[in-house]
Structures are given as C-alpha cells and as structure tokens.
Amino acid sequence: SQTIHQWPATLVQPVGSPLSLECTVEGTSNPNLYWYRQAAGRGLQLLFYSVGIGQISSEVPQNLSASRPQDRQFILSSKKLLLSDSGFYLCAWSAGTGAHPHFGDGTRLSIL
Amino acid sequence: TQLLEQSPQFLSIQEGENLTVYCNSSSVFSSLQWYRQEPGEGPVLLVTVVTGGEVKKLKRLTFQFGDARKDSSLHITAAQPGDTGLYLCAGGDSNYQLIWGAGTKLIIKP
C-alpha cells in the first residue's frame, strides 16, 4: 500500500532563517506531488505541484520554492522565512491528474 | 475565478442531533469531494460525487451533488462526538485542479 511521510511534525524558526521540509511517498511510482498551506482551521491553498522529477509548477508568488530531486521526494524550501510563512504545511500525492490527493500529517511551522 | 463557499463556518451541536453542511458555487465542477480533517492531521477523503443529482451514503453521512453540479451538501444523522472535525469540500475544475472551500468546523458535544 502507498504511504506518505512528512517531517518534521512541528517546527519553530526565527524570522530570516532558512527552511527545508521534506516529503516522501512509498508504494507508488511517478505520483503527482503537492505542497499546500492551511491557515488555522481553514481551507487549503495550493503552493506547488509536480507531475515529474524536476517539474515544478508554482501557484502562488512567494518566498518559498519547491524541488523534486527524486520521483517520490518533494521538498519545500525558503532562503529567508517571513512571519507570514507561519502555518500548517501539507504534502500530498495523487495517482495522476484528476485523481484525489492523499495527504501527509502536515508540519506546523511557527515563525518567531 | 472559481470559488467554493462553505456554510456554516462553525457548528456546535449536541450528540444525537442532525445537521447539514453546504458547499456552494456559481461555477460548474466536474466532480466534488468531501474531506474530514482532525487537528494535527491531513484531510482524509470521505466521498467523491461526479454526477448531477448523485446521492451517496456513508453510514450516517449522506452526500448530495446538485443537479447543475454547482453545489453539494453533507447531512449527518444522529451526530456523534467522533464526527467532530473540519469538513472540507473541494471541486474539480476543467483542468482537474481542485478548488477548496474554507471548511466547516464541526463540534459534537456529548
């Protein structure tokens, strides 16, 4: 069966520090991969999605970036975090375009 | 820009009561999904509806897709504390991207 791992579960970072969140998927090949951000108790905002290695589409202009160095690895990064980057970050995978996403357990990011 | 509006934003009721959550749009969607999310976890898919007028049942939960595929509802019968969570709807657009509602936070009090 397919599983998705996302870490860390929680992270507290100072303003201006770098960020690296990692997500890996097991049990499937060539998945679509997604990074979402969720404000407290609210809906999801799609940040990035990828349909293949090295292929990244950005939905929202920001100081975040994403990379897909391997088929089942998706990384969310920032060179300098802002206070507004605080939130709940969710990684997800789907079997292809049109298939529903399966989510990881998320990373709670707090910027101080 | 396609938007999905969920109502109510927040609902707190007693165990055993019935409730309905709505997801509305002025746009047509190819499909509509309902998710439930618990604190500190990712959303989990409950159901996908794809046909106008479609009704699906999942135990005490009944999901309906509007005839015009612009709206959907989730009805819970005899709510239980285990139903507590954030309920999210998401519509599939013509490019197979998901448009997300802001969610309904549901609390069922024992």
Side-chain angles (χ1 to χ4, degrees):
Chain A
S1 63
Q2 302 87 2
T3 57
I4 179 167
H5 303 280
Q6 186 181 344
W7 67 93
T10 59
L11 188 60
V12 180
Q13 293 282 100
V15 170
S17 63
L19 173 73
S20 180
L21 300 181
E22 189 164 344
C23 173
T24 59
V25 180
E26 297 177 358
T28 186
S29 56
N30 197 31
N32 283 7
L33 296 173
Y34 308 85
W35 278 110
Y36 287 90
R37 179 167 58 203
Q38 184 177 30
R42 309 309 292 168
L44 278 63
Q45 178 187 35
L46 180 63
L47 302 176
F48 301 95
Y49 71 93
S50 171
V51 298
I53 296 175
Q55 301 178 59
I56 309 295
S57 295
S58 174
E59 293 294 303
V60 184
Q62 60 220 322
N63 69 320
L64 299 171
S65 62
S67 61
R68 186 171 178 172
Q70 301 181 46
D71 180 46
R72 291 168 290 174
Q73 183 184 28
F74 207 23
I75 298 172
L76 182 68
S77 304
S78 175
K79 293 182 179 178
K80 293 179 75 172
L81 286 167
L82 306 172
L83 282 174
S84 58
D85 291 323
S86 291
F88 191 52
Y89 288 82
L90 288 157
C91 181
W93 73 273
S94 72
T97 301
H100 80 270
H102 304 264
F103 290 89
D105 283 338
T107 295
R108 174 74 57 195
L109 176 63
S110 299
I111 310 300
L112 303 179
Chain B
T1 302
Q2 292 179 295
L3 293 174
L4 267 175
E5 294 184 359
Q6 282 191 247
S7 61
Q9 292 183 345
F10 179 79
L11 185 59
S12 179
I13 62 172
Q14 291 295 135
E15 179 178 2
E17 294 183 9
N18 301 332
L19 67 108
T20 302
V21 175
Y22 300 92
C23 181
N24 296 304
S25 176
S26 58
S27 303
V28 176
F29 291 100
S30 58
S31 66
L32 198 132
Q33 300 169 7
W34 284 94
Y35 294 77
R36 180 168 70 208
Q37 183 180 20
E38 301 193 21
E41 299 181 6
V44 175
L45 180 70
L46 296 174
V47 77
T48 299
V49 286
V50 296
T51 306
E54 182 177 3
V55 177
K56 282 192 174 180
K57 291 192 175 183
L58 187 66
K59 296 183 180 178
R60 293 175 293 100
L61 278 60
T62 301
F63 304 85
Q64 184 164 8
F65 202 11
D67 291 341
R69 289 185 290 130
K70 294 182 178 181
D71 52 80
S72 181
S73 63
L74 159 59
H75 182 78
I76 301 179
T77 303
Q80 299 178 1
D83 296 326
T84 292
L86 179 70
Y87 288 81
L88 295 158
C89 64
D93 68 10
S94 56
N95 295 317
Y96 303 104
Q97 298 297 326
L98 285 179
I99 308 299
W100 291 84
T104 293
K105 187 172 183 179
L106 176 63
I107 295 177
I108 309 301
K109 295 176 285 188

